[in-house]
């Protein structure tokens, strides 16, 4: 005969084990959907998660947490715990540590004067006139030479049903049909309260991250990182002949998609100072150190071949709130440029300078005649911070940039 109460005891034992399994799965779900509310997820390897007390014969799933190798536990660190441990091994904790930084305020977009900029169209007349009536009649013009030309203007007016721009305070005007007004890039860098522990940077192109290093459509995560979005680097590997960076759990991007800053704990070789500007030609980034700590960082544009920006150690020897830049280096002068009112200029190597660039939004790519281009806001902040004699350390970790450049322009 069946013993009384046997069936209820079996049912209770089964229910107990299912309850324990359900509790563990619920903990894993809470970690996934509410990571900031789960304290165990923030534990580092040096502070292991306390293990539950297991009863004889039971197999218990560990609560979500980080369990270092060799740490004695009476549970199975699978599921969420295994994932947290793998992420902790590359420095990624939950929730992730934010950068000790804040964006540069928009007020730094201010120019030294009250003017705007326009491109002199290549298909236009390129003519300047000494007055509105002369412009309307086409009398007594002088012309810009062909090339890459931008002007600054202080006012726009309509005269005899046509638009004219005042491009010189001495009264020289240009026809509106010969110009195209431009708006400078609104990109700006980051101000830091402390030196970050890991590399960081900006996306230089929009792309979908990969679940593993390497190209291939089947590896897409469907997470799109936008151009100029800030990322941190937690791990790196080689694939497809280039370096890939992990910027989030199981999300990888190639080196070609990002411009990085690798924070320094000490001055670069050959520099005995605790205050310097560092330009990385390979990454196309600029970092500012003050009292040995990272103070500011951003993307830049340096010289493209054959007008590359030479590496070396220099000092700022002249500062100008605004200046005109013009010149040509090719034998046939086909690379002639003329740029009016270039703002926040700091010369450091002969005719090469750090300065604001209002004529492009290509920060993160080489595009200049040898100078170091910054956005208006970044150049303004740097101009205010910098002093005559400050050191500028320009280097190329790839070793591909020649020691002497062929240019010296914007």
């Amino acid at each position: 005969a069946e013993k009384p109460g046997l069936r209820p005891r079996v049912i209770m034992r089964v229910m107990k084990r299912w309850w324990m399994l359900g509790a563990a799965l619920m903990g894993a779900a809470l970690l996934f959907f509410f990571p900031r509310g789960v304290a165990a997820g923030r534990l580092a390897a040096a502070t292991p998660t306390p293990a539950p007390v297991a009863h004889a014969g039971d197999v218990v799933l560990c609560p979500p947490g980080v369990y270092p190798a060799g740490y004695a536990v009476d549970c199975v660190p699978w599921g969420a715990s295994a994932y947290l441990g793998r992420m902790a091994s590359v420095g990624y904790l939950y929730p992730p540590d934010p950068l000790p930084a804040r964006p540069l305020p928009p007020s730094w977009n201010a120019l030294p004067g009250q003017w705007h900029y326009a491109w002199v169209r290549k298909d236009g007349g390129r003519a300047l006139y000494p007055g509105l009536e002369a412009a309307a009649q086409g009398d007594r013009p002088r012309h810009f030479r062909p090339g890459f030309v931008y002007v600054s203007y202080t006012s726009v007016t309509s005269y005899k049903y046509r638009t004219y721009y005042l491009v010189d305070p001495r009264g020289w005007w240009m026809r509106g049909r010969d110009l195209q007004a431009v708006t400078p890039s609104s990109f700006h860098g980051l101000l830091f309260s402390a030196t970050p522990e890991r590399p960081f940077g900006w996306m230089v192109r929009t792309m979908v991250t990969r679940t593993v290093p390497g190209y291939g459509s089947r590896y897409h995560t469907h997470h799109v990182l936008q151009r100029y979005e800030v990322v941190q680097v937690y791990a790196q590997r080689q694939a497809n002949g280039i370096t890939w960076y992990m910027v989030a759990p199981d999300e990888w991007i190639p080196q070609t998609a990002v411009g990085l800053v690798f924070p320094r704990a000490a001055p670069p070789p050959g520099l005995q100072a605790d205050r310097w500007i560092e330009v990385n030609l390979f990454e196309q980034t600029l970092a500012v150190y003050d009292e040995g700590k990272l103070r500011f960082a951003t993307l830049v544009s340096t010289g493209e071949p054959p007008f590359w920006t030479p590496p070396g150690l220099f000092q700022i020897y002249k500062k100008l709130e605004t200046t005109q830049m013009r010149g040509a280096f090719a034998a046939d002068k086909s690379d002639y440029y003329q740029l009016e009112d270039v703002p926040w200029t700091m010369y450091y190597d002969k005719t090469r300078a750090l300065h604001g660039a209002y004529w492009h939004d290509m920060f993160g790519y080489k595009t200049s005649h040898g100078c170091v281009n910054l956005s208006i806001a970044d150049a303004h902040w740097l101009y205010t911070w910098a002093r005559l004699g400050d050191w500028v350390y320009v280097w190329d970790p790839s070793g591909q940039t020649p020691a002497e450049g062929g240019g010296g322009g914007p």
Side-chain angles (χ1 to χ4, degrees), residues 283-297:
E283 298 290 344
Q284 291 293 287
T285 56
L286 177 145
V288 176
Y289 292 84
D290 198 348
E291 297 182 351
K293 298 178 181 179
L294 184 65
R295 177 76 181 276
F296 176 77

Side-chain angles (χ1 to χ4, degrees), residues 93-175:
L93 303 175
Y94 285 88
D97 294 324
L99 278 175
R102 59 185 176 89
L104 198 64
S107 58
W108 288 101
N109 280 311
L111 294 168
Q114 299 299 316
W115 60 71
H116 306 277
Y117 298 106
W119 171 54
V120 178
R121 299 173 62 92
K122 294 182 179 180
D123 57 352
R126 313 179 74 87
L128 298 86
Y129 300 93
L132 282 173
E133 184 62 30
Q137 298 297 327
D139 294 336
R140 296 171 290 157
R142 62 183 179 91
H143 296 81
F144 287 113
R145 63 181 297 177
F148 186 74
V149 180
Y150 280 76
V151 296
S152 59
Y153 64 92
T154 53
S155 66
V156 183
T157 190
S158 178
Y159 183 73
K160 293 185 178 180
Y161 306 106
R162 291 184 178 179
T163 301
Y164 299 91
Y165 289 73
L166 181 61
V167 298
D168 190 309
R170 293 170 295 183
W172 289 88
W173 295 78
M174 291 189 69
R175 296 172 177 177

Side-chain angles (χ1 to χ4, degrees), residues 122-332:
K122 294 182 179 180
D123 57 352
R126 313 179 74 87
L128 298 86
Y129 300 93
L132 282 173
E133 184 62 30
Q137 298 297 327
D139 294 336
R140 296 171 290 157
R142 62 183 179 91
H143 296 81
F144 287 113
R145 63 181 297 177
F148 186 74
V149 180
Y150 280 76
V151 296
S152 59
Y153 64 92
T154 53
S155 66
V156 183
T157 190
S158 178
Y159 183 73
K160 293 185 178 180
Y161 306 106
R162 291 184 178 179
T163 301
Y164 299 91
Y165 289 73
L166 181 61
V167 298
D168 190 309
R170 293 170 295 183
W172 289 88
W173 295 78
M174 291 189 69
R175 296 172 177 177
R177 68 188 184 191
D178 292 339
L179 298 175
Q180 180 177 314
V182 297
T183 300
S185 171
S186 60
F187 172 74
H188 50 268
L190 296 171
L191 291 169
F192 287 81
S193 58
T195 303
E197 296 180 357
R198 61 180 57 88
F200 66 91
W202 294 263
M203 298 297 296
V204 297
R205 61 181 173 90
T206 299
M207 70 163 292
V208 180
T209 59
R210 268 62 172 179
T211 57
V212 295
Y215 294 108
S217 59
R218 65 184 182 278
Y219 301 135
H220 286 179
T221 65
H222 304 291
H223 178 204
V224 179
L225 291 174
Q226 302 293 333
R227 173 161 161 79
Y228 291 152
E229 189 169 343
V230 178
V231 296
Q232 296 190 68
V233 173
Y234 299 93
Q236 65 181 60
R237 294 181 190 170
Q238 295 294 314
N240 306 124
I242 61 173
T243 303
W244 287 73
Y245 299 111
M246 192 185 82
V247 296
D250 298 323
E251 293 193 43
W252 296 81
I253 60 173
Q255 182 277 324
T256 53
V258 64
L260 294 177
V261 173
F262 295 84
R264 288 186 181 272
L271 181 60
Q272 301 296 323
D274 62 358
R275 176 186 172 95
W276 72 92
I277 300 167
E278 181 171 332
V279 178
N280 187 319
L281 299 175
F282 182 72
E283 298 290 344
Q284 291 293 287
T285 56
L286 177 145
V288 176
Y289 292 84
D290 198 348
E291 297 182 351
K293 298 178 181 179
L294 184 65
R295 177 76 181 276
F296 176 77
T298 190
L299 288 173
V300 296
S301 289
T302 64
E304 61 178 340
F307 310 115
W308 52 82
T309 303
L313 188 59
F314 312 93
Q315 287 181 283
I316 295 175
Y317 68 88
K318 182 188 291 187
K319 294 176 62 179
L320 299 170
E321 286 190 351
T322 178
T323 187
Q324 182 194 76
M325 292 186 177
R326 62 180 178 179
F329 299 95
D332 60 358

Side-chain angles (χ1 to χ4, degrees), residues 354-366:
L354 302 143
H355 61 74
Y358 54 79
W359 51 90
H360 73 79
D361 187 26
M362 292 295 292
F363 303 107
Y365 293 95
K366 298 178 180 180

